[in-house]
Short mmCIF file of all heavy atoms in Angstrom, two decimals:
data_model
loop_
_atom_site.label_atom_id
_atom_site.label_comp_id
_atom_site.label_asym_id
_atom_site.label_seq_id
_atom_site.Cartn_x
_atom_site.Cartn_y
_atom_site.Cartn_z
N ASN M 112 -25.72 -22.54 -0.38
CA ASN M 112 -26.24 -22.79 0.97
C ASN M 112 -25.57 -24.04 1.53
O ASN M 112 -24.85 -24.75 0.81
CB ASN M 112 -27.77 -22.89 0.95
CG ASN M 112 -28.26 -23.98 0.01
OD1 ASN M 112 -27.63 -25.05 -0.07
ND2 ASN M 112 -29.34 -23.72 -0.72
N THR M 113 -25.80 -24.31 2.81
CA THR M 113 -25.11 -25.40 3.47
C THR M 113 -25.32 -26.73 2.77
O THR M 113 -24.39 -27.52 2.60
CB THR M 113 -25.58 -25.52 4.94
OG1 THR M 113 -25.64 -24.20 5.46
CG2 THR M 113 -24.64 -26.37 5.76
N GLU M 114 -26.53 -26.93 2.32
CA GLU M 114 -26.83 -28.19 1.65
C GLU M 114 -26.03 -28.32 0.36
O GLU M 114 -25.44 -29.38 0.07
CB GLU M 114 -28.33 -28.21 1.35
CG GLU M 114 -28.88 -29.63 1.22
CD GLU M 114 -30.29 -29.59 0.69
OE1 GLU M 114 -31.09 -28.72 1.12
OE2 GLU M 114 -30.58 -30.40 -0.23
N GLN M 115 -26.01 -27.25 -0.42
CA GLN M 115 -25.26 -27.30 -1.69
C GLN M 115 -23.76 -27.51 -1.42
O GLN M 115 -23.11 -28.29 -2.11
CB GLN M 115 -25.47 -25.99 -2.46
CG GLN M 115 -26.88 -25.88 -3.03
CD GLN M 115 -27.22 -24.46 -3.49
OE1 GLN M 115 -26.69 -23.48 -2.99
NE2 GLN M 115 -28.13 -24.38 -4.45
N LYS M 116 -23.26 -26.84 -0.38
CA LYS M 116 -21.84 -27.01 -0.09
C LYS M 116 -21.52 -28.44 0.31
O LYS M 116 -20.58 -29.04 -0.16
CB LYS M 116 -21.42 -26.06 1.03
CG LYS M 116 -21.36 -24.60 0.62
CD LYS M 116 -20.75 -23.80 1.77
CE LYS M 116 -21.31 -22.38 1.75
NZ LYS M 116 -20.78 -21.56 2.85
N SER M 117 -22.36 -28.97 1.23
CA SER M 117 -22.06 -30.34 1.71
C SER M 117 -22.23 -31.37 0.59
O SER M 117 -21.55 -32.37 0.56
CB SER M 117 -22.96 -30.75 2.86
OG SER M 117 -23.49 -29.68 3.52
N LYS M 118 -23.16 -31.07 -0.28
CA LYS M 118 -23.39 -32.02 -1.36
C LYS M 118 -22.23 -32.04 -2.37
O LYS M 118 -21.76 -33.10 -2.78
CB LYS M 118 -24.69 -31.69 -2.08
CG LYS M 118 -25.08 -32.71 -3.16
CD LYS M 118 -26.42 -32.38 -3.78
CE LYS M 118 -26.67 -33.31 -4.97
NZ LYS M 118 -27.74 -32.77 -5.83
N HIS M 119 -21.78 -30.84 -2.77
CA HIS M 119 -20.85 -30.77 -3.88
C HIS M 119 -19.37 -30.63 -3.53
O HIS M 119 -18.51 -31.18 -4.21
CB HIS M 119 -21.24 -29.62 -4.83
CG HIS M 119 -22.60 -29.80 -5.43
ND1 HIS M 119 -22.96 -30.87 -6.18
CD2 HIS M 119 -23.71 -29.02 -5.38
CE1 HIS M 119 -24.24 -30.79 -6.59
NE2 HIS M 119 -24.71 -29.64 -6.11
N LEU M 120 -19.07 -29.83 -2.48
CA LEU M 120 -17.64 -29.54 -2.27
C LEU M 120 -16.80 -30.79 -2.00
O LEU M 120 -15.76 -31.00 -2.63
CB LEU M 120 -17.48 -28.50 -1.13
CG LEU M 120 -17.87 -27.04 -1.53
CD1 LEU M 120 -17.79 -26.13 -0.31
CD2 LEU M 120 -17.00 -26.52 -2.67
N PRO M 121 -17.22 -31.66 -1.05
CA PRO M 121 -16.38 -32.84 -0.78
C PRO M 121 -16.23 -33.73 -2.02
O PRO M 121 -15.20 -34.30 -2.29
CB PRO M 121 -17.13 -33.60 0.32
CG PRO M 121 -18.01 -32.54 0.95
CD PRO M 121 -18.38 -31.61 -0.16
N SER M 122 -17.32 -33.76 -2.80
CA SER M 122 -17.32 -34.61 -3.98
C SER M 122 -16.39 -34.06 -5.08
O SER M 122 -15.69 -34.83 -5.77
CB SER M 122 -18.74 -34.72 -4.48
OG SER M 122 -18.80 -35.45 -5.65
N ILE M 123 -16.36 -32.73 -5.22
CA ILE M 123 -15.41 -32.14 -6.18
C ILE M 123 -13.98 -32.39 -5.70
O ILE M 123 -13.11 -32.81 -6.46
CB ILE M 123 -15.66 -30.60 -6.30
CG1 ILE M 123 -16.99 -30.29 -6.97
CG2 ILE M 123 -14.51 -29.96 -7.15
CD1 ILE M 123 -17.36 -28.82 -6.98
N GLY M 124 -13.77 -32.16 -4.40
CA GLY M 124 -12.41 -32.35 -3.81
C GLY M 124 -11.93 -33.77 -4.01
O GLY M 124 -10.73 -33.99 -4.20
N ALA M 125 -12.86 -34.73 -3.92
CA ALA M 125 -12.46 -36.12 -4.05
C ALA M 125 -12.25 -36.51 -5.51
O ALA M 125 -11.89 -37.65 -5.85
CB ALA M 125 -13.53 -37.01 -3.41
N GLY M 126 -12.55 -35.57 -6.42
CA GLY M 126 -12.35 -35.86 -7.84
C GLY M 126 -13.47 -36.64 -8.44
O GLY M 126 -13.35 -37.20 -9.53
N LYS M 127 -14.63 -36.68 -7.77
CA LYS M 127 -15.75 -37.49 -8.25
C LYS M 127 -16.70 -36.71 -9.12
O LYS M 127 -17.26 -37.22 -10.09
CB LYS M 127 -16.49 -38.11 -7.05
CG LYS M 127 -15.70 -39.21 -6.38
CD LYS M 127 -16.46 -39.76 -5.19
CE LYS M 127 -15.58 -40.72 -4.39
NZ LYS M 127 -15.95 -40.80 -2.98
N THR M 128 -16.95 -35.45 -8.72
CA THR M 128 -17.92 -34.66 -9.48
C THR M 128 -17.21 -33.58 -10.25
O THR M 128 -16.28 -32.94 -9.73
CB THR M 128 -18.91 -33.97 -8.49
OG1 THR M 128 -19.50 -34.98 -7.69
CG2 THR M 128 -19.98 -33.21 -9.25
N LEU M 129 -17.62 -33.36 -11.48
CA LEU M 129 -17.07 -32.28 -12.29
C LEU M 129 -18.15 -31.25 -12.57
O LEU M 129 -19.30 -31.56 -12.77
CB LEU M 129 -16.54 -32.83 -13.61
CG LEU M 129 -15.37 -33.83 -13.50
CD1 LEU M 129 -14.97 -34.32 -14.88
CD2 LEU M 129 -14.18 -33.16 -12.81
N PHE M 130 -17.69 -30.00 -12.58
CA PHE M 130 -18.59 -28.88 -12.87
C PHE M 130 -18.08 -28.11 -14.08
O PHE M 130 -16.88 -28.15 -14.39
CB PHE M 130 -18.61 -27.93 -11.67
CG PHE M 130 -19.69 -28.21 -10.67
CD1 PHE M 130 -19.54 -29.23 -9.77
CD2 PHE M 130 -20.85 -27.44 -10.63
CE1 PHE M 130 -20.53 -29.53 -8.80
CE2 PHE M 130 -21.85 -27.70 -9.68
CZ PHE M 130 -21.69 -28.74 -8.79
N ALA M 131 -18.97 -27.39 -14.71
CA ALA M 131 -18.56 -26.43 -15.74
C ALA M 131 -19.38 -25.17 -15.54
O ALA M 131 -20.54 -25.23 -15.11
CB ALA M 131 -18.81 -27.00 -17.12
N LEU M 132 -18.74 -24.04 -15.80
CA LEU M 132 -19.42 -22.77 -15.63
C LEU M 132 -19.81 -22.21 -16.99
O LEU M 132 -18.94 -22.00 -17.84
CB LEU M 132 -18.48 -21.79 -14.90
CG LEU M 132 -19.00 -20.42 -14.60
CD1 LEU M 132 -20.09 -20.48 -13.52
CD2 LEU M 132 -17.87 -19.50 -14.14
N ALA M 133 -21.10 -21.98 -17.18
CA ALA M 133 -21.59 -21.50 -18.48
C ALA M 133 -21.92 -20.03 -18.38
O ALA M 133 -22.94 -19.65 -17.78
CB ALA M 133 -22.81 -22.32 -18.89
N ILE M 134 -21.07 -19.19 -18.92
CA ILE M 134 -21.28 -17.73 -18.87
C ILE M 134 -21.54 -17.20 -20.27
O ILE M 134 -22.57 -16.62 -20.58
CB ILE M 134 -20.05 -16.98 -18.31
CG1 ILE M 134 -19.62 -17.58 -16.97
CG2 ILE M 134 -20.38 -15.50 -18.15
CD1 ILE M 134 -18.32 -16.97 -16.48
N ASP M 135 -20.51 -17.38 -21.14
CA ASP M 135 -20.52 -16.65 -22.38
C ASP M 135 -21.48 -17.16 -23.43
O ASP M 135 -21.77 -18.36 -23.49
CB ASP M 135 -19.09 -16.62 -22.95
CG ASP M 135 -18.19 -15.73 -22.12
OD1 ASP M 135 -18.63 -14.62 -21.79
OD2 ASP M 135 -17.09 -16.18 -21.73
N GLU M 136 -21.95 -16.21 -24.22
CA GLU M 136 -22.96 -16.58 -25.23
C GLU M 136 -22.54 -16.12 -26.62
O GLU M 136 -23.20 -16.46 -27.62
CB GLU M 136 -24.31 -15.94 -24.84
CG GLU M 136 -24.74 -16.37 -23.45
CD GLU M 136 -26.08 -15.79 -23.01
OE1 GLU M 136 -26.65 -14.96 -23.79
OE2 GLU M 136 -26.57 -16.17 -21.95
N SER M 137 -21.51 -15.35 -26.69
CA SER M 137 -21.09 -14.84 -28.01
C SER M 137 -19.59 -15.05 -28.20
O SER M 137 -18.94 -15.72 -27.38
CB SER M 137 -21.44 -13.37 -28.15
OG SER M 137 -20.73 -12.63 -27.20
N ASN M 138 -19.04 -14.42 -29.24
CA ASN M 138 -17.64 -14.71 -29.56
C ASN M 138 -16.60 -14.10 -28.63
O ASN M 138 -15.47 -14.48 -28.63
CB ASN M 138 -17.34 -14.24 -30.99
CG ASN M 138 -17.73 -15.34 -31.97
OD1 ASN M 138 -17.71 -16.51 -31.61
ND2 ASN M 138 -18.05 -14.98 -33.17
N LYS M 139 -17.04 -13.09 -27.87
CA LYS M 139 -16.11 -12.50 -26.91
C LYS M 139 -16.73 -12.59 -25.51
O LYS M 139 -17.96 -12.47 -25.36
CB LYS M 139 -15.81 -11.02 -27.25
CG LYS M 139 -15.11 -10.80 -28.58
CD LYS M 139 -13.79 -11.49 -28.74
CE LYS M 139 -12.61 -10.72 -28.17
NZ LYS M 139 -11.30 -11.38 -28.51
N HIS M 140 -15.86 -12.76 -24.54
CA HIS M 140 -16.30 -12.79 -23.16
C HIS M 140 -17.02 -11.48 -22.83
O HIS M 140 -16.46 -10.40 -23.04
CB HIS M 140 -15.07 -12.95 -22.25
CG HIS M 140 -15.38 -12.89 -20.81
ND1 HIS M 140 -16.12 -13.82 -20.16
CD2 HIS M 140 -15.00 -11.96 -19.85
CE1 HIS M 140 -16.19 -13.53 -18.85
NE2 HIS M 140 -15.53 -12.39 -18.66
N ASN M 141 -18.25 -11.58 -22.35
CA ASN M 141 -18.97 -10.37 -22.04
C ASN M 141 -20.06 -10.66 -21.02
O ASN M 141 -21.24 -10.79 -21.34
CB ASN M 141 -19.57 -9.77 -23.33
CG ASN M 141 -20.13 -8.39 -23.07
OD1 ASN M 141 -20.08 -7.88 -21.96
ND2 ASN M 141 -20.68 -7.79 -24.11
N PRO M 142 -19.67 -10.78 -19.76
CA PRO M 142 -20.62 -11.20 -18.74
C PRO M 142 -21.75 -10.20 -18.50
O PRO M 142 -22.75 -10.52 -17.88
CB PRO M 142 -19.76 -11.36 -17.47
CG PRO M 142 -18.54 -10.57 -17.72
CD PRO M 142 -18.33 -10.55 -19.21
N ALA M 143 -21.59 -8.99 -19.04
CA ALA M 143 -22.63 -7.99 -18.86
C ALA M 143 -23.79 -8.22 -19.81
O ALA M 143 -24.87 -7.64 -19.64
CB ALA M 143 -22.06 -6.59 -19.03
N GLU M 144 -23.57 -9.02 -20.84
CA GLU M 144 -24.62 -9.25 -21.83
C GLU M 144 -25.07 -10.70 -21.81
O GLU M 144 -24.57 -11.51 -22.58
CB GLU M 144 -24.08 -8.92 -23.24
CG GLU M 144 -23.88 -7.43 -23.47
CD GLU M 144 -25.20 -6.69 -23.66
OE1 GLU M 144 -26.15 -7.26 -24.24
OE2 GLU M 144 -25.27 -5.53 -23.21
N ILE M 145 -25.98 -11.01 -20.90
CA ILE M 145 -26.49 -12.38 -20.81
C ILE M 145 -27.92 -12.38 -21.30
O ILE M 145 -28.75 -11.59 -20.86
CB ILE M 145 -26.45 -12.87 -19.33
CG1 ILE M 145 -25.04 -12.83 -18.74
CG2 ILE M 145 -27.07 -14.27 -19.21
CD1 ILE M 145 -24.06 -13.75 -19.36
N SER M 146 -28.23 -13.29 -22.25
CA SER M 146 -29.64 -13.30 -22.67
C SER M 146 -30.34 -14.64 -22.40
O SER M 146 -31.55 -14.71 -22.56
CB SER M 146 -29.78 -12.91 -24.16
OG SER M 146 -28.93 -13.69 -24.94
N LEU M 147 -29.57 -15.63 -21.93
CA LEU M 147 -30.23 -16.86 -21.51
C LEU M 147 -31.18 -16.51 -20.36
O LEU M 147 -30.77 -15.84 -19.42
CB LEU M 147 -29.20 -17.90 -21.07
CG LEU M 147 -29.73 -19.30 -20.75
CD1 LEU M 147 -28.76 -20.37 -21.18
CD2 LEU M 147 -30.11 -19.47 -19.31
N THR M 148 -32.44 -16.93 -20.50
CA THR M 148 -33.46 -16.46 -19.56
C THR M 148 -34.04 -17.58 -18.70
O THR M 148 -34.27 -18.68 -19.18
CB THR M 148 -34.62 -15.82 -20.37
OG1 THR M 148 -34.06 -14.93 -21.33
CG2 THR M 148 -35.52 -15.00 -19.44
N ALA M 149 -34.26 -17.22 -17.46
CA ALA M 149 -34.95 -18.13 -16.55
C ALA M 149 -36.35 -17.52 -16.28
O ALA M 149 -36.42 -16.46 -15.66
CB ALA M 149 -34.18 -18.29 -15.25
N THR M 150 -37.38 -18.18 -16.79
CA THR M 150 -38.75 -17.65 -16.60
C THR M 150 -39.43 -18.46 -15.51
O THR M 150 -39.36 -19.71 -15.55
CB THR M 150 -39.59 -17.76 -17.86
OG1 THR M 150 -38.75 -18.20 -18.94
CG2 THR M 150 -40.21 -16.43 -18.24
N PRO M 151 -40.10 -17.78 -14.56
CA PRO M 151 -40.82 -18.54 -13.50
C PRO M 151 -41.81 -19.48 -14.14
O PRO M 151 -42.50 -19.13 -15.11
CB PRO M 151 -41.53 -17.44 -12.71
CG PRO M 151 -40.75 -16.19 -13.00
CD PRO M 151 -40.24 -16.33 -14.38
N SER M 152 -41.88 -20.67 -13.59
CA SER M 152 -42.81 -21.68 -14.11
C SER M 152 -43.11 -22.66 -12.99
O SER M 152 -42.21 -23.34 -12.50
CB SER M 152 -42.15 -22.37 -15.31
OG SER M 152 -42.67 -23.65 -15.51
#
Side-chain angles (χ1 to χ4, degrees):
Chain M
N112 57 39
T113 316
E114 204 190 317
Q115 289 166 333
K116 288 188 210 178
S117 338
K118 184 176 172 197
H119 298 301
L120 287 174
S122 177
I123 293 174
K127 288 179 187 152
T128 305
L129 296 178
F130 269 78
L132 181 69
I134 308 174
D135 289 313
E136 303 180 356
S137 62
N138 274 334
K139 298 300 276 189
H140 175 67
N141 190 0
E144 289 287 325
I145 301 294
S146 52
L147 186 144
T148 313
T150 353
S152 155

